[in-house]
Amino acid sequence: MIQKTTTSLYNGLRSVNTYNFNGAYAYVQMVRPAASNTGADSMFTIGYDVNNYYRIYVEGTNLIIQKRVASGSKVTMLTVPFNTSIIPSGESEMMRLRAR
């Protein structure tokens, strides 16, 4: 991550192909979340567009799960404390989104 900046920066992967996630899942390995004393987030989002998605992210000391479906409002489905100090050294966390 770029240090000492006050602007929003984004980095990620995007596919030109579409995928059917019915009964499927996608996951990402979070090696190191953004520092909890900053405004940065570590985010994993799967969706069709900016109006239809599911996301898991770490913000500060919280793990948050949100959805936005059919161009509706963002809905926070879960917010729980996230403590990076419980992750053993050299380990990482997996974030997984699964469709049923």
Side-chain angles (χ1 to χ4, degrees):
M1 294 185 53
I2 298 174
Q3 303 293 314
K4 299 180 183 175
T5 183
T6 58
T7 59
S8 293
L9 302 169
Y10 300 89
N11 191 5
L13 301 173
R14 185 174 178 163
S15 172
V16 296
N17 297 322
T18 58
Y19 299 92
N20 182 343
F21 276 90
N22 288 326
Y25 64 91
Y27 63 92
V28 65
Q29 182 178 19
M30 182 175 56
V31 177
R32 183 179 58 212
S36 62
N37 62 348
T38 69
D41 298 332
S42 299
M43 188 174 294
F44 177 47
T45 305
I46 295 289
Y48 180 73
D49 58 26
V50 299
N51 294 310
N52 299 280
Y53 59 80
Y54 289 87
R55 70 170 43 139
I56 301 173
Y57 64 100
V58 175
E59 181 175 77
T61 59
N62 289 314
L63 176 72
I64 302 166
I65 301 174
Q66 284 183 337
K67 70 176 179 178
R68 184 171 183 183
V69 181
S71 300
S73 299
K74 280 191 261 187
V75 175
T76 299
M77 301 165 64
L78 179 70
T79 301
V80 294
F82 183 80
N83 185 349
T84 58
S85 66
I86 64 172
I87 303 171
S89 179
E91 297 288 325
S92 59
E93 290 294 310
M94 301 297 284
M95 293 182 171
R96 180 173 86 160
L97 294 173
R98 179 177 155 192
R100 291 184 181 208

